[in-house]
C-alpha cells in the first residue's frame, strides 16, 4: 500500500513560482508512473504532467515550458516546479501514482491572485 501526501501549495502572485511535493509513504520505485492533476473550481480534474520510472516526462499544453515534473527515488518524492504562474493555474493539485494499484493524494491548494 502506498500513501501520497502533497505539500507546497499556497497563495502566489501572477508570474510567481511554487514547487509542489508529493511524498510517498512507501517506495515510489514500485510506482511506474507518477503524475500531477489539477481541479479548478467548478471544473473536472485534469491531467497536468507525468513522469515515468525511466524519467520520461509529458505535459499538458497549457503548462509546457512553465512547469517541470521530477522525481527523487531516494527521497520517495515527486515534485512539480511551477513558474510564471497565471490566474488559470489556480486549482487543487493532486498527485497520482500508478503501480500495482492506483493511488491519489489528498490535494494541495494553489491560488494565483494579485
Amino acid at each position: 500500500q502506498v500513501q501520497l501526501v502533497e505539500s507546497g501549495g499556497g497563495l502566489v502572485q501572477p508570474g510567481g513560482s511554487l514547487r509542489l511535493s508529493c511524498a510517498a509513504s512507501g517506495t515510489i520505485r514500485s510506482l511506474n508512473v507518477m503524475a500531477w492533476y489539477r481541479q479548478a473550481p467548478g471544473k473536472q480534474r485534469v491531467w497536468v504532467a507525468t513522469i515515468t520510472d525511466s524519467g520520461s516526462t509529458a505535459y499538458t499544453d497549457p503548462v509546457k515550458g512553465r512547469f517541470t515534473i521530477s522525481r527523487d527515488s531516494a527521497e520517495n518524492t515527486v515534485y512539480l516546479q511551477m513558474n510564471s504562474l497565471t490566474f488559470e493555474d489556480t486549482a487543487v493539485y493532486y498527485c497520482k501514482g500508478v503501480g500495482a494499484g492506483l493511488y491519489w493524494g489528498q490535494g494541495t491548494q494553489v491560488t494565483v491572485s494579485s
Side-chain angles (χ1 to χ4, degrees):
Q1 186 73 12
V2 175
Q3 289 186 326
L4 304 176
V5 178
E6 302 96 334
S7 61
L11 175 65
V12 63
Q13 291 185 338
S17 298
L18 282 175
R19 188 177 79 156
L20 306 183
S21 299
C22 172
S25 61
T27 177
I28 64 172
R29 292 187 181 91
S30 65
L31 300 174
N32 305 110
V33 176
M34 299 292 295
W36 287 95
Y37 284 69
R38 66 186 181 185
Q39 186 167 16
K43 296 186 178 181
Q44 292 186 330
R45 191 175 301 186
V46 297
W47 169 72
V48 175
T50 296
I51 186 166
T52 69
D53 53 1
S54 63
S56 297
T57 60
Y59 301 90
T60 186
D61 283 346
V63 309
K64 283 181 180 177
R66 301 188 298 121
F67 290 11
T68 303
I69 188 171
S70 61
R71 64 190 290 168
D72 185 336
S73 296
E75 296 292 330
N76 292 330
T77 302
V78 175
Y79 302 97
L80 185 69
Q81 177 66 44
M82 307 187 296
N83 300 326
S84 302
L85 287 162
T86 70
F87 297 122
E88 290 70 30
D89 295 316
T90 294
V92 178
Y93 284 72
Y94 297 90
C95 177
K96 185 178 86 170
V98 181
L102 182 63
Y103 309 97
W104 286 95
Q106 83 291 346
T108 185
Q109 176 70 48
V110 172
T111 302
V112 183
S113 176
S114 55

